Amino acid sequence: MADGERSWYLCKLLRFFYSLFFPGLIVCGTLCVCLVIVLWGIRLLLQRKKKLVSTSKNGKNQMVIAFFHPYCNAGGGGERVLWCALRALQKKYPEAVYVVYTGDVNVSGQQILEGAFRRFNIRLIHPVQFVFLRKRYLVEDSLYPHFTLLGQSLGSIFLGWEALMQCVPDVYIDSMGYAFTLPLFKYIGGCQVGSYVHYPTISTDMLSVVKNQNIGFNNAAFITRNPFLSKVKLIYYYLFAFIYGLVGSCSDVVMVNSSWTLNHILSLWKVGNCTNIVYPPCDVQTFLDIPLHEKKMTPGHLLVSVGQFRPEKNHPLQIRAFAKLLNKKMVESSPSLKLVLIGGCRNKDDELRVNQLRRLSEDLGIQEYVEFKINIPFDELKNYLSEATIGLHTMWNEHFGIGVVECMAAGTIILAHNSGGPKLDIVIPHEGDITGFLAESEEDYAETIAHILSMSAEKRLQIRKSARASVSRFSDQEFEVTFLSSVEKLFK
């Protein structure tokens, strides 16, 4: 009897849910139609707003070209790409209106342009308008201690919405890697959209790190030790990678900065027909002006590191490897050595990292041999590179590595991480000759530095010459040609 009652209740429950199916379907369909109508209405309003903005004083329509770069005042390699891209477009399309969406609300537009000239030696030909965004905090990683990728990506949609409401461009280029803004500007703003990808938000390498339960800066130890949490995170990463691929495929033009990035973007976005490698512009000519001779520091050798103080740059590895080297060299009574870490600080988190690095050098007892140079002018950077014997780079799977190229152009022997752009595109033989060195562990770095310092001056000079001869493909001129060729489709 009890079984019969249970069956009867189950049957009744199924009938109830069945009776809700069609009404639910109708409600969902109605809501979807309403959403489409609302979005279409917003698009029409934005198109009208765009016509008003693009009409100049003489009544002619002007094309509005906008770059989405919330950290345009940061002073890193990505910012150099932004200013060189703007300069290249202004040369070809001088009549267009140029807009940069930025979250740097604590500085003026003029200060941003002056900073670009001071750090990169770049001055724009025509004026540029800055649209200042108040909600940049929505893309700060510190706001999302968990599910950081998802949080930042959703935050970028809201930040993109703020940008779109203030200015509707004809051509929209995401130059910082916020792919989730692409469908917003394409389907709601009615823009032609392009993207320059420095580093994929998620990569197959990140998936493999979680799958293999390896510890990394984006994979905490407590997750790697727990098989269940590792599986949950892996599922989350796969779902995110799928969505990332969908939004990225909305781009009409895709530019990537290296072979490493190309492989990941082709795998995730699957838009090979409109994807091109456009190497970042490096001011190689300025560094080539440095006389090529055996570098001297009285007495000893100078080692430099060039890169923003971000966690993935792995500056602690440089300091630990240097400490290991000093311990060995002190025994061998070698000339004095000095390590100078040069980089930009975007915010308080970066400043905190610098303080932690200072403490690390103190804990290792090498603070008197380590210096930090924060947000220094271009001329000062050039002076350091002109004196340095070795340039250090330690980021695993660096997407490209403008600092690596700058070191090579300046005649500094580069020692980079054996992965990513440096391995595939930069520190490769030139006409059969060595252009630099690669390493992975602390021991590798310490031993390779010792090996470089033990070389004769003539041997080091030969490596410098080969490195210099190989970097012309990363010049500003080459970037302008490949960039303009790639984005041409957006202006047809």
Side-chain angles (χ1 to χ4, degrees):
M1 188 71 177
D3 289 341
E5 286 182 2
R6 276 197 296 270
S7 298
W8 183 78
Y9 280 120
L10 182 60
C11 234
K12 196 169 182 180
L13 188 63
L14 289 173
R15 284 198 193 97
F16 173 72
F17 282 122
Y18 181 75
S19 67
L20 293 178
F21 177 74
F22 287 106
L25 200 61
I26 293 170
V27 170
C28 289
T30 304
L31 289 174
C32 288
V33 170
C34 290
L35 180 62
V36 169
I37 293 172
V38 169
L39 292 176
W40 185 255
I42 293 172
R43 175 174 170 136
L44 291 177
L45 288 173
L46 291 175
Q47 292 299 310
R48 189 176 302 170
K49 183 178 180 180
K50 178 163 68 174
K51 287 181 181 178
L52 293 173
V53 173
S54 61
T55 303
S56 63
K57 292 179 181 178
N58 58 12
K60 293 183 179 180
N61 285 335
Q62 289 180 290
M63 180 180 291
V64 179
I65 304 170
F67 284 80
F68 190 76
H69 208 104
Y71 294 91
C72 73
N73 200 39
E79 287 66 62
R80 191 170 209 288
V81 170
L82 168 68
W83 303 121
C84 285
L86 275 166
R87 185 174 60 185
L89 287 172
Q90 287 184 344
K91 287 179 183 177
K92 187 167 184 179
Y93 306 101
E95 300 300 322
V97 175
Y98 293 90
V99 173
V100 175
Y101 300 113
T102 178
D104 296 299
V105 296
N106 57 332
V107 292
S108 67
Q110 185 59 37
Q111 287 173 316
I112 292 173
L113 293 174
E114 288 172 359
F117 177 71
R118 187 174 62 254
R119 172 62 182 89
F120 304 117
N121 200 29
I122 295 173
R123 203 178 285 283
L124 297 181
I125 306 167
H126 301 291
V128 60
Q129 299 175 16
F130 291 92
V131 173
F132 292 95
L133 308 176
R134 302 284 172 181
K135 295 183 174 62
R136 191 177 71 178
Y137 65 89
L138 293 175
V139 297
E140 295 279 355
D141 55 359
S142 58
L143 190 63
Y144 311 100
H146 305 292
F147 298 98
T148 308
L149 294 181
L150 181 61
Q152 287 183 292
S153 297
L154 293 177
S156 71
I157 297 175
F158 288 100
L159 190 64
W161 180 263
E162 182 188 357
L164 187 59
M165 290 301 103
Q166 293 192 60
C167 176
V168 186
D170 296 287
V171 175
Y172 169 81
I173 299 175
D174 165 41
S175 53
M176 226 186 143
Y178 292 107
F180 281 71
T181 63
L182 296 173
L184 181 67
F185 278 83
K186 182 171 185 175
Y187 299 116
I188 306 300
C191 313
Q192 289 288 103
V193 298
S195 55
Y196 189 97
V197 185
H198 298 274
Y199 196 86
T201 304
I202 190 168
S203 65
T204 52
D205 287 332
M206 291 168 66
L207 291 171
S208 67
V209 165
V210 178
K211 188 174 182 179
N212 297 327
Q213 295 181 255
N214 296 328
I215 297 175
F217 76 90
N218 62 342
N219 196 36
F222 77 91
I223 292 178
T224 62
R225 289 193 294 263
N226 190 311
F228 175 74
L229 290 179
S230 290
K231 284 186 173 61
V232 170
K233 185 167 185 178
L234 187 60
I235 293 170
Y236 157 56
Y237 266 23
Y238 273 116
L239 288 174
F240 183 85
F242 174 73
I243 299 171
Y244 179 62
L246 288 179
V247 298
S249 64
C250 295
S251 190
D252 299 304
V253 167
V254 181
M255 293 163 283
V256 296
N257 65 344
S258 68
S259 301
W260 181 87
T261 307
L262 175 68
N263 294 334
H264 289 285
I265 289 300
L266 289 179
S267 174
L268 294 165
W269 290 13
K270 304 184 190 308
V271 283
N273 59 321
C274 63
T275 303
N276 300 293
I277 294 179
V278 179
Y279 289 127
C282 306
D283 193 7
V284 295
Q285 188 56 52
T286 300
F287 292 105
L288 290 174
D289 293 339
I290 298 173
L292 195 60
H293 55 77
E294 175 62 16
K295 312 286 181 87
K296 298 273 185 189
M297 189 181 75
T298 311
H301 294 279
L302 180 66
L303 287 70
V304 298
S305 163
V306 181
Q308 285 183 323
F309 289 100
R310 305 203 311 258
E312 62 269 25
K313 295 296 183 180
N314 201 1
H315 289 94
L317 175 56
Q318 297 174 11
I319 294 174
R320 293 193 187 98
F322 186 60
K324 193 179 287 286
L325 173 75
L326 284 179
N327 291 334
K328 290 183 178 180
K329 296 309 252 181
M330 282 189 280
V331 174
E332 298 171 13
S333 306
S334 289
S336 64
L337 302 175
K338 195 170 200 178
L339 171 63
V340 179
L341 291 89
I342 304 170
C345 280
R346 303 163 298 172
N347 47 41
K348 290 182 179 179
D349 288 339
D350 288 353
E351 292 170 4
L352 177 62
R353 271 186 278 275
V354 173
N355 291 332
Q356 290 171 341
L357 292 171
R358 284 195 173 102
R359 284 196 294 272
L360 175 61
S361 62
E362 290 171 4
D363 293 340
L364 295 172
I366 61 169
Q367 65 272 20
E368 61 182 295
Y369 303 102
V370 180
E371 282 188 19
F372 294 86
K373 296 295 177 179
I374 316 299
N375 298 328
I376 62 174
F378 180 80
D379 288 340
E380 192 175 348
L381 167 66
K382 186 176 176 181
N383 287 337
Y384 273 108
L385 291 182
S386 69
E387 291 295 328
T389 301
I390 298 174
L392 287 180
H393 163 276
T394 46
M395 179 177 169
W396 172 72
N397 274 339
E398 169 76 86
H399 38 94
F400 180 72
I402 288 181
V404 174
V405 175
E406 289 177 342
C407 285
M408 293 169 69
T412 299
I413 296 181
I414 191 67
L415 173 54
H417 198 279
N418 189 25
S419 63
K423 178 183 180 180
L424 297 176
D425 294 304
I426 305 175
V427 191
I428 56 178
H430 176 71
E431 297 181 354
D433 294 325
I434 295 173
T435 58
F437 298 87
L438 300 168
E440 293 184 37
S441 65
E442 290 177 27
E443 192 67 34
D444 286 343
Y445 274 93
E447 289 180 357
T448 308
I449 293 171
H451 171 64
I452 295 170
L453 297 179
S454 68
M455 289 178 175
S456 65
E458 292 75 18
K459 180 62 176 175
R460 283 198 292 261
L461 188 60
Q462 181 57 47
I463 294 174
R464 289 189 174 103
K465 287 180 178 178
S466 298
R468 274 196 163 181
S470 71
V471 297
S472 59
R473 58 210 164 101
F474 305 125
S475 66
D476 287 359
Q477 293 74 22
E478 282 293 318
F479 170 81
E480 286 191 8
V481 171
T482 53
F483 176 80
L484 290 174
S485 174
S486 297
V487 299
E488 190 176 8
K489 178 182 175 183
L490 299 175
F491 301 92
K492 290 181 178 179

